[in-house]
């Protein structure tokens, strides 16, 4: 079993839809949870950063962490074509500054 | 615009060539990284320079060699590469305090080995 599992997609949705992206993990030492967004042929950029279980909201984006289930989610409300990108979850333990990445989910928002 | 600058953006080289990828950051970060990313795959860590100490992913072949002239520059020297080395090479930097896992990536150097 991989440390971090993430469905590669692609996930195709119409503009305005609510998008749910997910990762599961096996290592209970992970304490910090991130979502990176990567546009085609660009480097990843940090989108959301959370610590511990619960929700964190930033505009149209909500990151959710359930440590008991080892499950993290990213919700995108009112999705836009400009949200079309690959979304990588990334996790790290408290003892490391180097994240473990999921393989990324490709999201396509069509007008 | 990213604060991590990578050059060149595109590089085509033959298997006998020697070339270098360059990376620069001006955020005062104390750690810099090289990642390799193939299509539809996550970034794979190759090297980390942190507080002037190099850490190597032991699966990285010796035809890749990093160089850190100073704390804001990180080069990746390429020699006798293979076609399977064609990929997007990403440089990143981070603070070693604050938010673990928060990396700042450059736009990448897309390498094609013929």
């Amino acid at each position: 079993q991989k440390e971090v599992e993430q469905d590669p997609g692609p996930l195709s949705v119409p503009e305005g839809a609510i998008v749910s992206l997910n990762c599961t993990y096996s290592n209970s030492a992970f304490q910090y949870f991130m979502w990176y967004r990567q546009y085609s042929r660009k480097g990843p950029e940090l989108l959301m950063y959370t610590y511990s279980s619960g929700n964190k909201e930033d505009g149209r984006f909500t990151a959710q962490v359930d440590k008991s289930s080892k499950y993290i989610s990213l919700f995108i409300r009112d999705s836009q074509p400009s949200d079309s990108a690959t979304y990588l979850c990334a996790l790290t333990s408290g003892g490391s500054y180097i994240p473990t990445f999921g393989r990324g989910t490709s999201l396509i928002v069509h007008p | 615009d990213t604060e991590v600058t990578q050059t060149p953006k595109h590089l085509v080289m033959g298997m006998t060539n020697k070339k270098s990828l360059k990376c620069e950051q001006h955020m005062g970060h104390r750690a810099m990284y090289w990642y390799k990313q193939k299509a539809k795959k996550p970034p794979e860590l190759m090297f980390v320079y942190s507080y002037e100490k190099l850490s190597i992913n032991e699966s990285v072949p010796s035809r890749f060699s990093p160089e850190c002239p100073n704390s804001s520059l990180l080069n990746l020297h390429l020699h006798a590469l293979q076609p399977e080395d064609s990929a997007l090479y990403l440089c990143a930097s981070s603070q070693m305090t604050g938010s673990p896992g928060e990396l700042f990536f450059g736009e990448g150097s897309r390498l094609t080995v013929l």
Side-chain angles (χ1 to χ4, degrees):
Chain A
Q1 182 186 12
K2 290 184 179 178
E3 275 198 297
V4 181
E5 299 276 4
Q6 185 176 11
D7 187 332
L11 177 62
S12 182
V13 301
E15 183 176 354
I18 296 174
V19 174
S20 173
L21 305 167
N22 310 293
C23 286
T24 59
Y25 63 94
S26 57
N27 187 349
S28 58
F30 287 135
Q31 298 179 41
Y32 301 89
F33 308 93
M34 292 143 277
W35 287 94
Y36 284 83
R37 177 175 61 194
Q38 185 173 20
Y39 290 113
S40 179
R41 300 181 176 272
K42 301 288 188 183
E45 58 176 339
L46 183 66
L47 187 62
M48 296 288 283
Y49 188 101
T50 57
Y51 169 68
S52 78
S53 289
N55 292 356
K56 180 178 180 179
E57 189 173 320
D58 184 359
R60 296 184 296 111
F61 300 90
T62 299
Q64 188 174 81
V65 174
D66 182 347
K67 292 179 77 175
S68 62
S69 300
K70 298 188 180 66
Y71 191 89
I72 65 173
S73 300
L74 177 71
F75 298 97
I76 306 174
R77 291 184 298 280
D78 187 25
S79 56
Q80 302 295 309
S82 58
D83 296 327
S84 299
T86 296
Y87 290 81
L88 300 123
C89 63
L91 301 82
T92 188
S93 66
S96 173
Y97 282 83
I98 300 173
T100 298
F101 286 95
R103 62 183 298 182
T105 299
S106 174
L107 172 66
I108 301 167
V109 182
H110 52 86
Chain B
D1 287 343
T2 179
E3 295 186 69
V4 177
T5 304
Q6 289 187 242
T7 55
K9 292 192 186 308
H10 301 276
L11 178 63
V12 180
M13 60 187 291
M15 290 189 286
T16 59
N17 293 157
K18 284 185 181 179
K19 297 285 184 183
S20 297
L21 305 180
K22 298 184 184 300
C23 177
E24 185 171 14
Q25 58 92 9
H26 294 288
M27 293 177 282
H29 288 169
R30 299 305 301 269
M32 295 185 73
Y33 311 77
W34 279 112
Y35 281 86
K36 173 184 176 181
Q37 187 177 31
K38 304 279 271 187
K40 301 188 187 301
K41 299 287 187 183
E44 298 175 45
L45 182 64
M46 302 175 72
F47 303 103
V48 182
Y49 254 107
S50 173
Y51 293 103
E52 301 177 4
K53 181 180 176 182
L54 172 66
S55 298
I56 300 172
N57 179 342
E58 294 187 352
S59 68
V60 175
S62 60
R63 53 186 183 266
F64 295 92
S65 59
E67 177 200 12
C68 193
N70 59 56
S71 60
S72 64
L73 289 172
L74 184 64
N75 300 324
L76 184 63
H77 300 301
L78 315 170
H79 174 54
L81 296 193
Q82 303 297 308
E84 61 264 29
D85 297 322
S86 298
L88 181 67
Y89 288 83
L90 294 162
C91 176
S93 69
S94 72
Q95 302 180 67
M96 296 303 284
T97 58
S99 308
E102 183 178 12
L103 302 181
F104 294 79
F105 285 90
E107 294 201 346
S109 294
R110 184 158 298 279
L111 173 67
T112 303
V113 182
L114 301 176

